[in-house]
Amino acid sequence: MDKKLNELGYAIIGAAFEVRKNLGRFMYEKTYERALQIELSLRNIKCENQVRIPINYKGVVISDAYKVDLLVEGVIPIELKTLPEMGSTELSQILSYLTFGNFQLGYLINFRAEDFIAKPVPKSICLDKGIYRIAKSEI
């Protein structure tokens, strides 16, 4: 993994902690999305929200196949959740972004913080309660 991705990853984690500290656990997902976008902007990190990720099916582009909550610097997708617990469905979303968007690193962040992923995943991706780092090289 290159240095820029790792540095952006640390910034994303720090920004997510800051948002969680300031807003707590019970806001709407859209509120966290906007707050995290603002927090990253305050750290001089470019972040777009609701970015479409097209897929190619037999030569036909499906332009609205996926929509990632946040895309940091055009290279790191972030999927946000506010669920009491997460399962394989939520994990599959970020895995799809990595695959079809050809990204090397992504984050799945659940601001409810009392969550777990039911499907076993490598321990190295769980950074903190509710914050998961998924690297394409580790899946």
Side-chain angles (χ1 to χ4, degrees):
M1 186 105 16
D2 80 15
K3 185 177 176 181
K4 179 183 177 183
L5 284 179
N6 281 329
E7 288 173 359
L8 283 173
Y10 287 122
I12 290 167
I13 295 162
F17 283 148
E18 185 67 16
V19 168
R20 186 167 67 187
K21 181 178 87 177
N22 282 282
L23 295 181
R25 295 181 35 224
F26 297 106
M27 304 298 271
Y28 290 116
E29 184 178 311
K30 197 70 174 165
T31 304
Y32 292 114
E33 179 182 315
R34 187 65 183 116
L36 187 53
Q37 187 177 25
I38 291 167
E39 187 61 39
L40 289 166
S41 175
L42 291 171
R43 295 167 188 235
N44 297 314
I45 297 169
K46 183 181 172 197
C47 181
E48 300 173 87
N49 69 322
Q50 299 302 312
V51 176
R52 292 175 189 251
I53 299 175
I55 66 168
N56 187 319
Y57 179 75
K58 294 188 175 184
V60 178
V61 175
I62 303 170
S63 62
D64 59 352
Y66 290 103
K67 197 183 313 180
V68 64
D69 289 332
L70 296 171
L71 185 60
V72 176
E73 296 283 338
V75 295
I76 299 178
I78 302 174
E79 182 62 27
L80 302 175
K81 298 295 177 194
T82 55
L83 300 170
E85 64 182 46
M86 291 193 302
S88 58
T89 301
E90 291 75 30
L91 179 62
S92 69
Q93 274 186 284
I94 194 70
L95 294 175
S96 294
Y97 300 157
L98 294 181
T99 301
F100 294 112
N102 200 28
F103 299 111
Q104 298 303 307
L105 179 65
Y107 286 84
L108 175 60
I109 301 173
N110 186 354
F111 283 100
R112 276 284 167 92
E114 291 296 327
D115 71 305
F116 67 94
I117 292 182
K119 180 181 175 184
V121 293
K123 287 183 180 181
S124 62
I125 70 166
C126 184
L127 302 174
D128 188 65
K129 204 180 286 184
I131 300 177
Y132 299 87
R133 176 187 183 274
I134 297 95
K136 199 173 199 178
S137 62
E138 295 171 5
I139 53 175

